[in-house]
Amino acid sequence: MKTFGCLLRSVDDCAALARWTALLALLAFALCTARAQSSAVTEPTASVAPLIGTGFGPGDGANLFPGATTPFGMVQLSPDTEDRGFGYHYTNTTVKGFSMNHMSGPGCSNEGDVFFTATTGPIMTQMQDFQSPYSHKQESASPGYYQVRLLQWDINAELSATDRTGIARFTFPAGKAANILLPLSHTLNDVNAASVHVVGDRSVEGYVENHAFCGSKETYKIYFVMTFSQPFANFGTWTGNHYGGPGKIAESSREAEQTGHEEWVGAYASWPAEAQARSITAKIGISYVDQVGAEKNLKMEAESKDFSTIRRDAEKAWNKDLGVIDVTGGTPTERRIFYTALYHSLLMPTIFEDFDGRYLGFDGKVHNIESGHHIYASYSGWDIYRSEMPLLAMIQPKRMEDMAQSIVLMYKQGGWIGRWPQFNIYTNVMAGSPLTVGLATAWLDGLHGFDMDAAWEGMLKDATQAPPKGKPYIGQEGIDWINKVHYVPDDKVGYGSVSQMQEDAIAYVSLYRVAKALGKTSDAKMLYERATYYRNLFDPADKYFRPRNADGSWVPDFNPSQDGHGFIEGTGWHYQSFAPGDLGWVVKAMGRDLFNKRMTEFFNYPEPGWYAQYYNPYNETDLQAPFIFNFSGEPWETQKVVRRVLTENYTDAPDGIPGNDDCGEMSSWAVLSMMGIYSVDPASLAYELVAPSFPKVTVHLAAPYTGKSFTIEAPGATANMPYVQSVELNGKAHTKNWISFRSIADGGTLKVAVGPKPNEKWGAAPDDAPPSLTDEQP
């Protein structure tokens, strides 16, 4: 999902914007990145720069946070440089404070709960008074660690995290009173309520109730407890109006509560001035269950550890998960781009259960997950089914099985498989049945550690039925019309009718393949037919997918360059090849020559931008498009396009990720593409091949996969060697332009000869193309 930039602006406008953002603050960023790299002592965290993707570009902000977290951690303790939105943007000039949770690169304002900061001198209660300017020259970030100097107060702030707790170390200047403020009414979205309670002389606890993202009316609660390394001498609370003047301070007050949107409440703790600079550490535990959960999370994960230990443990966790993929060779910049993309691919979904195994289900009740497993929450489904979930299935199979079971439990507790659930809330954002594709991919990859009986029931229901009225989920848009006329009619479902059907078809073809694997013959036949329904929106006259009315007539005056004309966040040009499970049929229906001509024109953009008629590298709508030439007999064109996208859109600058990262989706695209493999249809188990960016990439495999490692060798691979010359798989010549996931999971070696010019013979024969639905019968 994307916030829109300049989709319909002129080419010149987009180009100017791209040039401007490319120059933005690069010098300061380079200094900060270099400092972060020099402070790290072990690989691969030394090659990660969390500030990549925190800037603005022609595809709008990537909306990534630079703060401290662990792989898939519940806590994302990070600075907030804006009052509302996504948290941090590199171009902002002030730090408002720090908060405990942030989504990674979403398209809507979200979270930013349990907000706090540090000051000196008198207590300030309003943002304009306690916020502080900062300099990127005095800022650094690495996996599990973030540091910034608050210039107004001369305070050095350092952050680190465990899975469920955060730790902040503030170093205060000599001669000034030290304060830690908790303006709990500040979040990045619409706070509904808040409560704070000062306990004894070392602790503050409470909760924040915030709205789910993207305009949802549903709310969630996050409970917290904050403890300090030193007893505070003074404390109090304040109340006031969010948009009014200074809050009313109540010294020695231990409680404050917010009950309306416009109220502004908070608490503070204060320590007297000392002759020497001193550090005060705050440890914060959170829970989405209750106060007891927050306290236990803090006790079990952080109470006995100091800042250095927590930081070291976080770095160790990151090295373990990042080290699943080893890359050899490449420039330092290329390694930084790759490992930062991998880092961003390992942030979400997030752990949702407390240390004791309790979590809040989609039925609003407290459940327990058995020991040794996790509940994962917040799936950017419409985005991550494309490449992040396949990547996680490959390199994090145990986590992927737990993610699959978490989705199954969503269905069992809530009654439906949502498309974009946040915490335990159905948000109904975007389209299709993306988590069905994710579940199918996991199962077909060989990950069977989840309840497929319940999963099948939920997936089939979503694919064929409308949900009951009055429920918080909506299912597939226009499902009754799909069942009746075998497509989504534009005059009945106005929002993206064509792309809704195209998205649904991806779920149908994925389910068809699962049905075959499970021996469900009648279901497989039915689903095969449903998987072809998208073809009913292909106009054989102009050979575009286009909107159609319920009576069968085509919507008149169709313009494939018109944004939103039957398509979600895109145009007919963006969606003209959007049939990942059946691209062989699209090539035949359009005609190979016309298909290649149109797609070549599609990629002939002057430079990256939001174009209506060209490839858009800033959104998921055509993310698979660079690989479609593998299906049309011109795989060298795919190799050229993929390398161009990687070179132009993935850099080590603040705007070095195209568009919103969408919880790791855009980053995972880069990870796989730089490895030289990508699957446009993960449930098919086919991975299309391109030239790797590195001479050697090794994936260390884990159970249940039988292989120990899968190695991709490309001797001499550099940025100037984008073309595949020949391929060997386990020592045998391989002419197909794809490999099966089974070849990866079984372990072995893929050797790719690369060169500066295309070999138009390799992988170009009709039998060399990846599998498509049209190649088989049910």
Side-chain angles (χ1 to χ4, degrees):
M1 181 184 63
K2 292 290 178 284
T3 50
F4 276 81
C6 58
L7 179 59
L8 297 179
R9 291 175 181 161
S10 70
V11 170
D12 289 341
D13 285 345
C14 287
L17 181 58
R19 288 191 295 271
W20 170 254
T21 55
L23 294 172
L24 182 65
L26 285 177
L27 178 59
F29 180 81
L31 290 172
C32 182
T33 299
R35 202 166 45 252
Q37 303 308 313
S38 65
S39 66
V41 295
T42 57
E43 291 282 6
T45 52
S47 294
V48 176
L51 285 162
I52 292 175
T54 61
F56 282 104
D60 286 327
N63 302 334
L64 290 163
F65 65 87
T69 189
T70 56
F72 309 99
M74 178 187 291
V75 165
Q76 307 86 32
L77 177 51
S78 191
D80 293 326
T81 61
E82 52 196 9
D83 291 327
R84 177 185 171 88
F86 310 99
Y88 178 101
H89 278 118
Y90 194 81
T91 53
N92 296 146
T93 58
T94 60
V95 172
K96 310 291 183 178
F98 311 90
S99 57
M100 292 294 290
N101 58 352
H102 299 79
M103 283 198 218
S104 180
C108 294
S109 301
N110 72 96
E111 301 177 11
D113 305 311
V114 190
F115 182 79
F116 63 94
T117 191
T119 66
T120 62
I123 300 298
M124 306 289 185
T125 65
Q126 291 299 106
M127 183 71 67
Q128 65 267 25
D129 298 322
F130 60 69
Q131 66 185 5
S132 174
Y134 74 108
S135 168
H136 295 302
K137 295 180 180 179
Q138 298 186 64
E139 178 188 36
S140 60
S142 60
Y145 176 75
Y146 175 83
Q147 171 274 329
V148 68
R149 181 167 291 276
L150 305 177
L151 298 179
Q152 178 168 329
W153 312 108
D154 194 24
I155 295 171
N156 191 52
E158 298 173 276
L159 311 177
S160 192
T162 69
D163 285 346
R164 302 171 182 85
T165 75
I167 184 168
R169 181 167 65 188
F170 296 109
T171 301
F172 294 90
K176 294 185 178 181
N179 312 310
I180 293 180
L181 313 179
L182 288 85
L184 292 182
S185 297
H186 182 278
T187 71
L188 296 171
N189 203 4
D190 294 317
V191 64
N192 193 56
S195 178
V196 62
H197 179 57
V198 181
V199 181
D201 61 358
R202 283 180 180 262
S203 181
V204 180
E205 63 184 30
Y207 69 82
V208 176
E209 182 180 352
N210 201 357
H211 282 268
F213 87 137
C214 274
S216 174
K217 295 180 180 179
E218 301 295 323
T219 64
Y220 62 89
K221 274 188 178 181
I222 177 171
Y223 298 85
F224 75 93
V225 58
M226 176 183 288
T227 62
F228 304 106
S229 57
Q230 300 177 24
F232 43 75
N234 300 293
F235 63 90
T237 63
W238 71 78
T239 57
N241 189 288
H242 194 103
Y243 306 101
K248 182 179 180 181
I249 297 175
E251 296 181 6
S252 301
S253 168
R254 291 190 177 273
E255 296 184 359
E257 189 168 353
Q258 175 184 350
T259 58
H261 284 284
E262 295 187 357
E263 295 177 18
W264 179 257
V265 303
Y268 67 89
S270 186
W271 294 260
E274 291 190 357
Q276 303 294 325
R278 42 79 183 278
S279 294
I280 297 173
T281 299
K283 296 178 180 178
I284 314 98
I286 63 169
S287 168
Y288 293 93
V289 178
D290 54 25
Q291 192 67 50
V292 172
E295 293 169 359
K296 186 174 290 186
N297 289 343
L298 182 62
K299 179 179 180 180
M300 300 306 295
E301 292 190 359
E303 186 175 78
S304 63
K305 299 179 181 180
D306 61 13
F307 186 94
S308 297
T309 300
I310 289 175
R311 178 185 178 185
R312 185 170 59 250
D313 288 349
E315 183 180 39
K316 182 179 179 180
W318 276 114
N319 274 315
K320 177 183 177 182
D321 280 18
L322 292 168
V324 172
I325 303 179
D326 284 332
V327 298
T328 302
T331 67
T333 296
E334 289 169 334
R335 292 173 60 83
R336 188 156 52 246
I337 292 168
F338 177 84
Y339 275 112
T340 302
L342 180 58
Y343 167 83
H344 286 138
S345 302
L346 302 178
L347 295 175
M348 291 182 70
T350 54
I351 293 170
F352 193 55
E353 88 282 356
D354 286 341
F355 189 89
D356 60 9
R358 297 182 307 144
Y359 69 96
L360 203 60
F362 278 79
D363 55 3
K365 299 177 181 179
V366 177
H367 299 265
N368 283 273
I369 187 68
E370 59 186 277
S371 178
H373 295 273
H374 289 301
I375 289 293
Y376 290 93
S378 300
Y379 296 81
S380 183
W382 186 78
D383 308 294
I384 66 173
Y385 82 84
R386 304 165 197 263
S387 59
E388 188 189 37
M389 294 186 89
L391 174 64
L392 296 184
M394 182 189 303
I395 67 174
Q396 295 279 344
K398 178 62 168 60
R399 288 191 192 268
M400 188 62 196
E401 286 183 324
D402 281 355
M403 291 174 188
Q405 183 62 14
S406 298
I407 295 169
V408 172
L409 290 171
M410 178 203 320
Y411 166 68
K412 295 175 73 172
Q413 295 161 4
W416 211 263
I417 296 175
R419 63 172 70 123
W420 213 130
Q422 181 186 8
F423 303 129
N424 64 327
I425 297 170
Y426 293 101
T427 70
N428 300 312
V429 173
M430 302 312 295
S433 300
L435 296 186
T436 285
V437 184
L439 289 174
T441 299
W443 185 266
L444 294 167
D445 279 354
L447 305 182
H448 296 170
F450 62 97
D451 184 354
M452 176 48 81
D453 289 337
W456 178 260
E457 179 182 287
M459 292 187 292
L460 192 63
K461 184 184 295 185
D462 186 40
T464 58
Q465 302 177 25
K469 293 182 179 180
K471 296 295 183 179
Y473 38 78
I474 59 177
Q476 292 184 356
E477 298 279 0
I479 186 69
D480 290 335
W481 284 103
I482 293 175
N483 292 336
K484 183 177 180 180
V485 301
H486 299 173
Y487 58 89
V488 179
D490 193 72
D491 56 341
K492 303 300 181 180
V493 180
Y495 177 55
S497 60
V498 181
S499 54
Q500 294 274 7
M501 188 69 255
Q502 290 173 302
E503 292 282 356
D504 294 342
I506 299 169
Y508 299 154
V509 71
S510 299
L511 277 177
Y512 157 70
R513 294 190 173 113
V514 174
K516 283 205 310 178
L518 296 176
K520 297 179 180 291
T521 306
S522 60
D523 285 335
K525 184 176 181 180
M526 176 270 294
L527 288 162
Y528 181 97
E529 182 181 356
R530 293 182 77 89
T532 65
Y533 284 177
Y534 81 96
R535 299 177 185 175
N536 294 324
L537 296 174
F538 183 83
D539 186 348
D542 63 12
K543 300 187 185 303
Y544 281 104
F545 290 103
R546 57 182 296 182
R548 196 171 192 174
N549 293 320
D551 63 4
S553 63
W554 298 107
V555 173
D557 302 320
F558 173 67
N559 179 0
S561 297
Q562 180 179 339
D563 176 39
H565 199 173
F567 303 95
I568 297 172
E569 296 187 359
T571 70
W573 272 96
H574 297 137
Y575 281 92
Q576 65 180 321
S577 66
F578 192 65
D582 201 20
L583 271 166
W585 183 89
V586 177
V587 173
K588 292 175 183 177
M590 193 179 296
R592 173 175 160 172
D593 290 343
L594 177 60
F595 182 90
N596 286 330
K597 179 182 178 181
R598 278 191 183 172
M599 297 312 298
T600 299
E601 181 182 351
F602 183 57
F603 287 106
N604 192 30
Y605 50 92
E607 58 183 74
W610 283 90
Y611 303 117
Q613 74 279 24
Y614 293 129
Y615 173 68
N616 175 9
Y618 304 111
N619 206 356
E620 284 79 7
T621 50
D622 50 5
L623 207 57
Q624 86 297 334
F627 297 89
I628 48 83
F629 293 106
N630 277 31
F631 293 80
S632 63
E634 296 186 356
W636 63 90
E637 291 292 338
T638 277
Q639 297 154 28
K640 178 176 70 174
V641 170
V642 169
R643 185 56 58 90
R644 180 186 179 185
V645 174
L646 286 172
T647 300
E648 293 182 338
N649 295 104
Y650 291 88
T651 71
D652 63 347
D655 58 354
I657 297 174
N660 307 142
D661 197 38
D662 286 323
C663 306
E665 174 53 30
M666 308 304 279
S667 288
S668 60
W669 187 96
V671 170
L672 290 169
S673 298
M674 294 181 80
M675 291 170 63
I677 57 176
Y678 187 87
S679 182
V680 302
D681 175 22
S684 73
L685 304 188
Y687 276 75
E688 289 73 47
L689 301 179
V690 293
S693 296
F694 301 99
K696 186 177 180 181
V697 178
T698 301
V699 180
H700 301 286
L701 300 167
Y705 303 136
T706 57
K708 291 185 177 180
S709 64
F710 183 75
T711 301
I712 303 169
E713 297 179 353
T718 66
N720 298 320
M721 298 286 186
Y723 293 105
V724 176
Q725 305 300 302
S726 63
V727 173
E728 292 181 0
L729 180 60
N730 297 326
K732 297 181 180 180
H734 186 83
T735 60
K736 296 186 183 299
N737 60 42
W738 62 280
I739 60 172
S740 169
F741 180 77
R742 293 265 58 88
S743 296
I744 299 173
D746 290 343
T749 301
L750 182 75
K751 189 170 183 178
V752 183
V754 297
K757 296 181 179 180
N759 175 1
E760 297 185 3
K761 295 182 179 180
W762 178 84
D767 290 343
D768 292 336
S772 290
L773 184 71
T774 193
D775 300 330
E776 56 183 293
Q777 294 298 320

